[in-house]
Amino acid sequence: MFRKLNLILLTLVLLVGCKETAPAKNPLESVLASKNPNIKRVMDSVDQYEVQIRYTQIDRKGDSVNFTDYDFQVDENNYFYPASTVKFPIAVLALEKLNSVDTLNMQTRFYVEGDSVETTFAKAISEIFSVSDNQANNRLVELLGQDAINEGLRSKGINPVRIAHRLGYHSDDLATKPLIIYLNDSTTATYEGTVNTSAKPLELNRVLKGNGFYEDGELIEEPFDFSLKNYYPIAAQHGVLKRVLFPQKFDESQRFNLSEAQRNYLLETMHTVPKAVGYDPVEFYDGYCKFFMYGDTKANIPANIKIYNKVGFAYGTLTDCAYITDTKNDLEFLLTATILVNKDGIFNDDNYEYDNVGIPFLAELGRELYQYELNRKK
């Protein structure tokens, strides 16, 4: 009798234990099942759009921060073109580099040899986040070099990743250009360039895309080859974002070596909208580089909402990697997502569905997850 009773009790304990450890339902499932047309049109043909999403819930208890990641179709073996999202880690590594050179700091004036534009490292980083300036990014690439960028990320556990070329144009030039550094108003020094490793073709799924592309005005009727381009998958993007925002969650060896002033400046530039740093608010509206929630509207972002992010858009691919906060409602979450909008399958024809499919999808995705977070019990 007692043996039978013990067996029943043990069974009940096991059942309760199984129930408690069962994985939580993925919130992305309900969000992506939305009847909103901005979501539904994509999900009805989801394979066509090559969507990948990672959403992270953030729960705080005292001084501790806990993450819960949820994925939709995230696969580092399925290639997407990262476009300007690579500017984020380049900016972070440039700040880190300044700490290793005695003569350099954020306010140091410099120009690239052969370039007439004089700037500072702080200004270049501001331009990268406010309007996604390609030349500002390329100046930081000249400072670092591709090999140092790739090794710097891998050494912190951020992989796979491969930064192979500058942005705005694809150059096979492996040498970075020297920087002319102002030591004071009248004295300059040269920071020499480096010679970097030639990129090897990526062996991934979907590096060949579409059925044609334009080159020098001529239509080439074969898939466009992305195998020599930059590679920065969802997990790597999310990893950089987490390390910048929550360095305490990582071992010291996996953190970026930033001073408090550098990190504060970086975070400030990440959420600052273009008009706040002098850009025309009509052309560069608040959502210009904020796809989630506000990308499909010209409305101003409310003061209580801050979006720390970096977007990318090129070759029909739209990507955003963001930390979204609402101080009024004590809300915060991480979101990284990418979508390809190239219905005709032709690249370099400037005929992409950015405004009527891609950005509306990302904006609504952000809004739906924001609403989910408003109602989530923490």
Side-chain angles (χ1 to χ4, degrees), residues 2 10 24 41 57 89 175 247 253 299 320 323 347 365:
F2 287 111
L10 178 61
R41 76 165 65 91
Q57 292 176 353
S253 63
D320 200 347
Y323 169 55
F347 289 90
L365 175 67

Side-chain angles (χ1 to χ4, degrees), residues 1 40 76 99 107 134 156 163 170 187 223 238 339 349:
M1 177 69 180
K40 191 174 186 302
E76 65 188 28
N99 293 330
Q107 302 307 327
N134 284 336
K156 291 172 174 58
I163 308 303
H170 187 138
T187 307
H238 223 65
I339 180 173
D349 64 353

Side-chain angles (χ1 to χ4, degrees), residues 9 81 167 223:
L9 289 172
Y81 182 65
L167 298 175

Side-chain angles (χ1 to χ4, degrees), residues 116-127:
S116 61
V117 176
E118 180 187 303
T119 188
T120 67
F121 296 106
K123 184 178 180 182
I125 290 168
S126 175
E127 291 168 342

Side-chain angles (χ1 to χ4, degrees), residues 251-266:
D251 292 338
E252 193 168 344
S253 63
Q254 293 195 331
R255 300 175 192 173
F256 292 104
N257 179 27
L258 304 180
S259 69
E260 184 177 356
Q262 287 176 323
R263 182 172 175 273
N264 288 340
Y265 179 76
L266 177 63

Side-chain angles (χ1 to χ4, degrees), residues 240-355:
V240 170
L241 188 63
K242 282 182 175 179
R243 284 164 174 78
V244 168
L245 290 160
F246 304 98
Q248 72 277 15
K249 290 287 293 181
F250 297 88
D251 292 338
E252 193 168 344
S253 63
Q254 293 195 331
R255 300 175 192 173
F256 292 104
N257 179 27
L258 304 180
S259 69
E260 184 177 356
Q262 287 176 323
R263 182 172 175 273
N264 288 340
Y265 179 76
L266 177 63
L267 293 175
E268 185 69 20
T269 60
M270 286 178 69
H271 77 74
T272 299
V273 294
K275 66 187 178 190
V277 287
Y279 289 95
D280 177 5
V282 176
E283 180 180 0
F284 300 104
Y285 47 93
D286 284 9
Y288 179 78
C289 283
K290 310 286 184 191
F291 294 159
F292 296 136
M293 298 182 67
Y294 295 96
D296 60 352
T297 176
K298 301 292 177 70
N300 292 335
I301 298 176
N304 59 295
I305 294 179
K306 288 184 171 61
I307 302 175
Y308 303 75
N309 77 312
K310 186 69 200 78
V311 300
F313 51 102
Y315 295 116
T317 301
L318 293 157
T319 306
D320 200 347
C321 176
Y323 169 55
I324 299 173
T325 71
D326 181 346
T327 54
K328 179 180 176 181
N329 294 290
D330 192 24
L331 175 158
E332 59 181 335
F333 63 99
L334 304 176
L335 181 60
T336 304
T338 187
I339 180 173
L340 172 66
V341 286
N342 187 17
K343 188 176 182 179
D344 65 9
I346 304 297
F347 289 90
N348 289 335
D349 64 353
D350 292 326
N351 184 25
Y352 306 120
E353 298 75 42
Y354 289 143
D355 294 330

